[in-house]
Amino acid sequence: MALSKNNPTTQKSWKSLEKIYEQENGLKILDYLKNEPNRVERFSISLNDFYVDFSKNRISEKALNYLIDLCNETDLKKNINKYFNGEEINETEKRAVLHTALRSNKATKINEEVQNNLKKIEILSNEINNGKRLGYSGKKIENIVNIGIGGSHLGPEMVTEALSQYNLGIKPYFISNIDADYIDDLLKRINPESTIFIIVSKTFNTIETLENAKKIKSWFIENICEEAIPNHFIAISNNIEGPKDFGIYSKNILSIPEWVGGRFSLWGSVGLIISICIGYKNFEKFLSGARDMDEHFRESPFKKNIPVILALISIWYNNFFKCETEAVIPYNQFLSKLPDYLQQASMESNGKSIDRDGNKINYETGSIIWGSTGTNAQHAFFQLMHQGTKLIPADFIAFVEPLNDNHEQHKILNANFLAQINALLVGSNKSGNDIHKNIEGNKPSNSILINKLTPHNLGSLIAMYESKIFAIGSILNIYSFDQWGVELGKSIARGILEGKEDHLDTSTKDIAKRLNNRK
Ligand code: F6P
């Protein structure tokens, strides 16, 4: 069964939200903190190693209650069940959306397939790490190169970097962009005899990935030999024939099920590089962290449901305050790629303007997601967050404990995190000659406090954002799991490469001519 189709703006709660926004949009968060009894307690949620404080938002408890009504009026609970039960909720592509099944341990038919795939990941990871699976010439594998783009790249790259402290010794590399100069440079630095190449592409017809894979295969054959390919090339795809035609040995092909969307695929075979790098045991912990967050999302009442609350806050700022962007600021350098990863997960999912009934939408859907690590971000764009004309809601992610024994430095890092969430809220009241030092404050933030950056907690963090994305899409009545906007550009590029430039607009045609003349 498909997701319910309810226009959020025609719901009773939406009208109440419009009214309450008019009455309260000038109010101060500090006043809410002062006047709403136990606001911090009521506006915070604990789950395992997570503590989420959302009290520093420009939202009263009354408004939050209307947002909860909006969840009910748009059938969020029913939709969550359809999502987890594998109903065909991606209607425009006629597919279920079941990446959550990749980390589930419920005994279902699908789970058998998931377990079989996980077994393959486990065997490969163990054999590579313990030196049982060697290169063609008998050398131990030292490098893994992931060739893929979008969902076949961003997740694996973000997670291998985030968990690099858990790496068992194999060095990960990533090739995504079709930039031959970059690839040449990388190939100079690795020895093919001790390197495994993983070609990741759900469709196995993405131009960038296939061209990059072809280039690397030729280089490999030139430097070693064709017979060595089975020892060094693995493919991960939903299109089994594609990798075979490319010359990949069928035992070295792992599948991506149809019901796994690219941007949510890192939990299964696409996560092979993660499992090799951190070891299968840690990969299992990573999956169990996501599983715990899924359970929380499925079972908790909306008012104490972390992903639902984050989704509602996002809808509130986007639709009522008209904030166009949301920043993600992890106070952890290993999470430097998290904003990029969330950009795809969120913007490719909820950047839609037709609702599930096929109508043009007249409200706001996906926000622009961006960010960078604290404290770097403080020295880059925080000035605008403090004193600019734009209101930027932000998620601050901080860790109670460091990974190693660096407690003193960790204290400095976290002092900065605390200083920023406080400064954004309180500001600094100045006038007269000091007017340029006046900082209004009243700038919102969510604090996501996590005990430690472990595989389990990272799994929970990613699943938290995935569920937030689902909840936003469900409430806003859009299809979050297709990406037709991206498909258009892909097909035009294919046409251009086949010499079909006639149908381009006059400006683009002119630019194409200039590029062609340069050759
Ligand atoms: O960017 C669009 C997209 O379709 C993503 O959703 C996907 O992750 C990526 O392209 C790569 O596609 P594939 O895995 O099929 O090569």
Side-chain angles (χ1 to χ4, degrees), residues 148-153 200-209 236-237 256 261-265 270 344 348 482-483 486-487 490:
I149 198 163
S152 299
H153 158 245
V200 188
S201 175
K202 183 173 173 191
T203 54
F204 222 79
N205 74 17
T206 302
I207 297 178
E208 294 91 326
T209 302
I236 295 172
S237 185
I256 305 176
R263 54 192 172 272
F264 302 107
S265 61
V270 174
Q344 189 211 11
E348 200 164 275
D482 58 20
Q483 59 287 315
V486 190
E487 302 304 329
K490 285 186 192 175

Side-chain angles (χ1 to χ4, degrees), residues 274-286:
I274 302 173
S275 174
I276 294 170
C277 286
I278 63 175
Y280 185 73
K281 283 213 167 80
N282 276 325
F283 188 65
E284 275 188 320
K285 289 182 191 159
F286 175 65

